[in-house]
C-alpha cells in the first residue's frame, strides 16, 4: 500500500466522522423540535380547559424534566410592560433562546398598542 492510499483512507475516515457528528446534531435538534411541538399541543389543550394550578404545575414540571434531558431549559416569566406570560425554551450551554411564545415582536406590538391607547385616552380627557 502506498502513502497516497493511506492518506485517502485517513481523509475518508475524517469525513465520515464529521458526517456522523452532523447527523447526531440534526437528530438532537429534530428531537427537541418534536418535544417542543408536543408540549405546545398539551398547552393548547390546557388553554381550552379549566385546569387547576396543581395540574398546570405538574405539566410544567414534566416539561422541565424532559427538556433538561435535551440540554434545554424552560423559562416562564410575565412581561413587565404588558403583563403577558412569556414562555422561553433556552439552550443551557449557550443561553440562546430556541423558542419563545409569544415571539418578541408580538410583545413589542402589544406594548406599542398600550402606549397608543394611553395617549388617546389622555387626549380625550
Amino acid at each position: 500500500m502506498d502513502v497516497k492510499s493511506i492518506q485517502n483512507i485517513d481523509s475518508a475516515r475524517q469525513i465520515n466522522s464529521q458526517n456522523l457528528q452532523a447527523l447526531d446534531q440534526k437528530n438532537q435538534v429534530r428531537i427537541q423540535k418534536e418535544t417542543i411541538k408536543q408540549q405546545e399541543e398539551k398547552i393548547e389543550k390546557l388553554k381550552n380547559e379549566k385546569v387547576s394550578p396543581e395540574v398546570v404545575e405538574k405539566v410544567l414540571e414534566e416539561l422541565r424534566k424532559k427538556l433538561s434531558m435535551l440540554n434545554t431549559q424552560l423559562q416562564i416569566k410575565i412581561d413587565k410592560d404588558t403583563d403577558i406570560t412569556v414562555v422561553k425554551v433556552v439552550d443551557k450551554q449557550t443561553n440562546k433562546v430556541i423558542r419563545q411564545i409569544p415571539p418578541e415582536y408580538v410583545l413589542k406590538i402589544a406594548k406599542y398598542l398600550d402606549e397608543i391607547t394611553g395617549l388617546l385616552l389622555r387626549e380625550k380627557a
Side-chain angles (χ1 to χ4, degrees):
M1 203 178 258
D2 61 347
V3 174
K4 286 185 179 180
S5 57
I6 292 174
Q7 289 174 341
N8 288 341
I9 291 171
D10 285 342
S11 65
R13 284 183 183 155
Q14 288 176 344
I15 290 171
N16 283 339
S17 174
Q18 291 171 348
N19 287 342
L20 288 174
Q21 288 175 348
L23 284 173
D24 187 42
Q25 289 174 344
K26 285 182 181 179
N27 282 335
Q28 286 180 352
V29 168
R30 181 184 53 77
I31 290 168
Q32 286 178 345
K33 286 181 179 179
E34 288 174 0
T35 302
I36 291 169
K37 185 175 181 180
Q38 290 170 354
Q39 296 306 320
E40 286 176 347
E41 290 170 359
K42 283 185 181 179
I43 290 170
E44 269 309 308
K45 287 179 185 176
L46 288 175
K47 282 182 182 177
N48 297 331
E49 299 175 8
K50 295 211 176 205
V51 183
S52 69
E54 293 83 21
V55 173
V56 172
E57 193 61 41
K58 182 181 173 190
V59 170
L60 289 175
E61 189 58 38
E62 179 185 323
L63 178 58
R64 285 186 182 111
K65 285 179 184 176
K66 287 181 180 181
L67 290 174
S68 69
M69 288 187 283
L70 297 172
N71 201 25
T72 54
Q73 173 182 350
L74 181 69
Q75 295 177 353
I76 301 173
K77 298 180 180 177
I78 296 177
D79 185 64
K80 294 175 187 175
D81 298 327
T82 59
D83 290 331
I84 295 175
T85 304
V86 179
V87 179
K88 291 182 182 182
V89 179
V90 180
D91 186 328
K92 284 184 181 177
Q93 290 178 343
T94 62
N95 243 4
K96 182 179 178 183
V97 176
I98 297 171
R99 181 89 183 238
Q100 178 177 324
I101 304 168
E104 192 65 37
Y105 68 88
V106 172
L107 295 174
K108 288 181 181 178
I109 291 171
K111 183 178 176 182
Y112 180 71
L113 290 174
D114 283 346
E115 289 174 6
I116 290 175
T117 304
L119 289 174
L120 289 174
L121 290 176
R122 279 188 226 128
E123 286 183 17
K124 285 186 178 180

